[in-house]
Amino acid sequence: FSMNTVWVLSGLLVGTAAVLYVTLYDNEAVLPDDLPKTMKALRLYGPREGDEGLGDLRVETIPVPDVPRGHLLIKVKAAPINPSDVYYMQGIYAQPPSYPAGVGLEGSGLVVGHGGGVINLVLNQRVSFFTTGTYAEYAVVPLTSIVTLSSDVSYDQGASGLVNPLTVVGMVTSARWAGHKAAVNTAAASALGKMLIRFGKLEGFPIINVVRREAQREMLIELGAAPEDVILSTDENYIENLRQACLRVGATVAFDAVAGQSTIDLMTALPDKSEVFVYGALSNAPVAPISPFLLMMEEKTVKGWHLLKHMNKISFVSFGLMAMKAKSLIGGELSTTYNKVATIDTIVSLVPEYMASATDNKIVVHID
């Protein structure tokens, strides 16, 4: 090519890029003409008093929030109640910068507008999303906090399409990066625990499942877990049973959703040089006391694992691959079974029952 040709081609490329940028991203806000001025929402006015119950929660009619540039306006269709939502409603998890604050940490819905600087193709897309305030008729969400839903995935499945699926994929990936070949999981009868069983089978990553009751054990066996891979924590020989199961499958890492005594038991039963990822706090008890000899002589470690912290540590490419895998399995291995339907008005009345026993008690909030 001559230099003139190079300059012409370069100019065309720059011009085309500029046109595409202006057309797709450097655009004005788009909001529906029939957007209401107000919406119904559940809001938290302060943390709980004492060690029990929920915080000061109120259902209110509030203005539909403004939509900043680079953000989407989503008409919320469904949102799950997860343990993290309960902790938030108690005022003991991810404290808001000020009160009152929106409640609900993930959901699904329809993109009905944006604040500008967003590709218009995202409009009218069905999405799963992260944000604070999903127990409301509308939510404002950064463009980076959504995943589009396939046509065969319902809003209910999409509502639980991020937190639990990404946690399952993320924890297994973290374990494999650390050289582990199999794992133990506590609270295995939970919605996440069931996902982990199915995902572990798909990935060839054995899971030893710890539950408290025989009925939970039978349920997981019906789900597909091998009988020898489901251990009762209430059995008098629990520690030895767990130790033998770990040796049989080569489990050197545990995912602990319970904390407290559960973490100590796991540290005791796991082989030397194992580690425990604490990713929940269902016992509401501290992780103590752990014998220093488990740490010094057996070279065991315990660390926290949190989805958002993990996402902040990995590369954009790694997160993209993790999200793609989770999205592809939302309707299958990473699907969620709901047992109750709530509305914004009935969330507070249903949460205490969910807190008492989350097994086969999964709640989805329908916003419409």
Side-chain angles (χ1 to χ4, degrees), residues 97-114:
S98 62
Y99 294 105
V103 183
L105 301 175
E106 71 170 329
S108 64
L110 184 69
V111 178
V112 296
H114 63 74

Side-chain angles (χ1 to χ4, degrees), residues 21-30 69 114-120:
Y21 175 78
V22 171
T23 302
L24 298 179
Y25 295 101
D26 191 24
N27 51 8
E28 298 299 321
V30 176
R69 189 170 181 80
H114 63 74
V118 172
I119 184 170
N120 282 329

